[in-house]
Amino acid sequence: MNRLTRLSAVAAAVFSLAVVAPAAYAQAGDYKVGLVDMAKVFEEYVKFKNFREGLQKELQGREGELRQLAEQIQAAQKDLQTADKSAPNYGALENRLITLNADAKTKQATIQREFLRKESQMYKEIYLEVQAMIGQAAQFYKYNMVIRFRRDGVNEEADPQRIMQGMNQLVLYHDEADDLTDRVIKVLNQRYTAQAAAGGGNRN
């Protein structure tokens, strides 16, 4: 038996031992790793949906302010185009248009900045809440570690970029019993529904 054959035999023996007696290895290590699909949690957490919809409505309301300014700018442009350049008020019309354009740019930048700040705060708040819930679930189910993973594999994908992302994920195999995603979503939604019913589910 050559060296390569001996190595193959040893590898096969080790693999067969691991397959035949996985429970023995689990007991010896006594270490459990859980998995959570964070994208799925955010997608199905009702509180996150409500927060996002509320933020979107707020943004639409602020965009109404920009539309009003745009209408004023159009009116100012029309007044300037029809005005006589030699008229005494022509300079005032020019200044008004310049001021309105500056106000519109400032307001647009302010709205974008406020929206990004509120959006980042929303993600942070939900993430910390989900993280805390995952920690509670890990303690309850006796998991030593919980790893973020993507539940949907490459079988469901057609986009080349997403296929490559799926192929690069850390978890290549898992026992479905170690997927805590649905349990985390269920408890999060139960708690949020109870808080909302008690009047504490609104975002300040």
Side-chain angles (χ1 to χ4, degrees):
M1 181 181 295
N2 59 36
R3 183 182 180 189
L4 180 59
T5 303
R6 288 198 302 272
L7 288 175
S8 298
V10 171
V14 172
F15 179 75
S16 64
L17 179 61
V19 172
V20 172
Y25 279 88
Q27 291 174 2
D30 195 22
Y31 199 89
K32 291 179 64 178
V33 176
L35 304 170
V36 170
D37 186 337
M38 290 291 284
K40 191 72 173 177
V41 173
F42 271 70
E43 178 184 342
E44 297 193 9
Y45 188 15
V46 176
K47 182 177 181 179
F48 178 68
K49 291 180 182 179
N50 291 345
F51 279 14
R52 188 170 52 184
E53 290 174 1
L55 190 59
Q56 190 64 34
K57 289 180 181 179
E58 182 180 345
L59 178 62
Q60 290 173 355
R62 298 301 304 275
E63 287 176 344
E65 300 175 18
L66 290 176
R67 285 193 294 270
Q68 291 179 355
L69 271 175
E71 292 173 358
Q72 294 177 25
I73 289 172
Q74 289 177 352
Q77 287 175 334
K78 185 176 180 181
D79 291 342
L80 191 63
Q81 289 171 355
T82 57
D84 185 352
K85 291 185 179 181
S86 61
N89 66 334
Y90 189 82
L93 292 175
E94 281 186 321
N95 290 335
R96 172 172 169 73
L97 181 58
I98 293 172
T99 300
L100 286 172
N101 277 313
D103 289 345
K105 290 181 179 179
T106 300
K107 184 173 285 292
Q108 183 177 20
T110 301
I111 291 174
Q112 289 177 341
R113 185 169 58 251
E114 290 179 356
F115 178 79
L116 289 174
R117 178 181 60 80
K118 291 183 178 182
E119 186 181 45
S120 62
Q121 183 62 34
M122 175 188 68
Y123 274 96
K124 178 182 177 181
E125 180 177 336
I126 297 296
Y127 178 83
L128 291 176
E129 186 176 346
V130 171
Q131 186 182 42
M133 178 59 65
I134 291 172
Q136 294 174 21
Q139 292 176 1
F140 182 82
Y141 292 108
K142 308 300 181 184
Y143 283 93
N144 303 89
M145 178 185 295
V146 177
I147 295 176
R148 177 175 183 165
F149 86 124
R150 186 165 162 262
R151 177 185 285 179
D152 296 332
V154 296
N155 290 337
E156 293 80 11
E157 296 294 349
D159 180 67
Q161 184 175 0
R162 291 186 64 85
I163 290 175
M164 293 303 297
Q165 291 174 352
M167 292 171 62
N168 289 329
Q169 73 168 329
L170 178 65
V171 179
L172 299 178
Y173 169 81
H174 72 279
D175 189 325
E176 291 185 2
D178 293 328
D179 185 352
L180 300 172
T181 305
D182 291 335
R183 283 171 275 183
V184 168
I185 293 172
K186 180 179 179 180
V187 177
L188 282 169
N189 284 331
Q190 286 177 341
R191 288 191 179 182
Y192 176 65
T193 301
Q195 290 173 356
N202 297 325
R203 184 178 178 88
N204 295 325

